[in-house]
Amino acid sequence: MPSLLIPVQMRFGDIDSYGHVNNVTMLQYLEDARVRLMRLPLPADAGPAAAAGPGTAQDGPAPQEPAADGTGQLSFRDLVGERLTVIGRQEAEYTEQLLWRAEPVFVRVWVSAVGGSSFVLDYAVQEEDGSRVYAVAQTVVVQIERSSGRPSRLDAAQRAALARWADEPTRFARRPAPAGE
């Protein structure tokens, strides 16, 4: 499953004076999807022992801390531990007005790139079947040390977890060409 489809229940208060979902609220929908993705229980083979690979000191079942949610299954958030994840960059392109309705809208979220201490999440705010897309977006998430605020490298277990949601990057239709082109 390269991407995750998250239902988001719209609220009447999400609508601005123009009668559509406010652009800031759309970013909140992305945040909801991002938080849910990071708290999604990972398969049992996605923990630190699995990421270490054969022939390492962590071969075999490694004792793991119980997940913070009490399920006993680790999530990406559990793999982050005491470190923090912060937003380094965010870009959104609004493709169609989203009007209030009682039915949820869906946010598809996936990972399009992984760097040393950061990763890129891509999103599509859409109908469940993808027939209409209201916005596409990218967020660069940076892992930092809580004590220093400095970037902290992603470890093998984190990279393995992120790889489960890997897919192609979003193509923005209205992105300006780089200067000088």
Side-chain angles (χ1 to χ4, degrees), residues 25-49:
T25 301
M26 199 72 83
L27 296 177
Q28 291 171 332
Y29 292 173
L30 305 181
E31 178 183 54
D32 289 348
R34 182 173 59 251
V35 167
R36 289 179 62 186
L37 177 75
M38 289 188 168
R39 296 215 176 265
L40 184 72
L42 296 169
D45 66 348

Side-chain angles (χ1 to χ4, degrees), residues 44-126:
D45 66 348
T56 66
Q58 293 188 16
D59 238 6
Q64 296 177 353
E65 295 289 321
D69 65 1
T71 65
Q73 287 185 275
L74 292 174
S75 67
F76 184 81
R77 180 69 210 129
D78 294 316
L79 297 177
V80 170
E82 291 299 313
R83 295 166 292 205
L84 302 173
T85 54
V86 297
I87 304 307
R89 181 178 177 281
Q90 195 152 257
E91 180 177 1
E93 183 174 281
Y94 304 96
T95 57
E96 188 175 336
Q97 290 187 70
L98 177 56
L99 306 175
W100 186 86
R101 64 195 194 191
E103 302 80 33
V105 66
F106 290 80
V107 179
R108 188 167 78 89
V109 58
W110 67 98
V111 176
S112 66
V114 178
S117 61
S118 65
F119 54 95
V120 179
L121 292 178
D122 288 49
Y123 313 84
V125 180
Q126 64 182 46

Side-chain angles (χ1 to χ4, degrees), residues 13-22:
D14 294 348
I15 305 305
D16 64 17
S17 63
Y18 297 109
H20 58 238
V21 173
N22 184 274

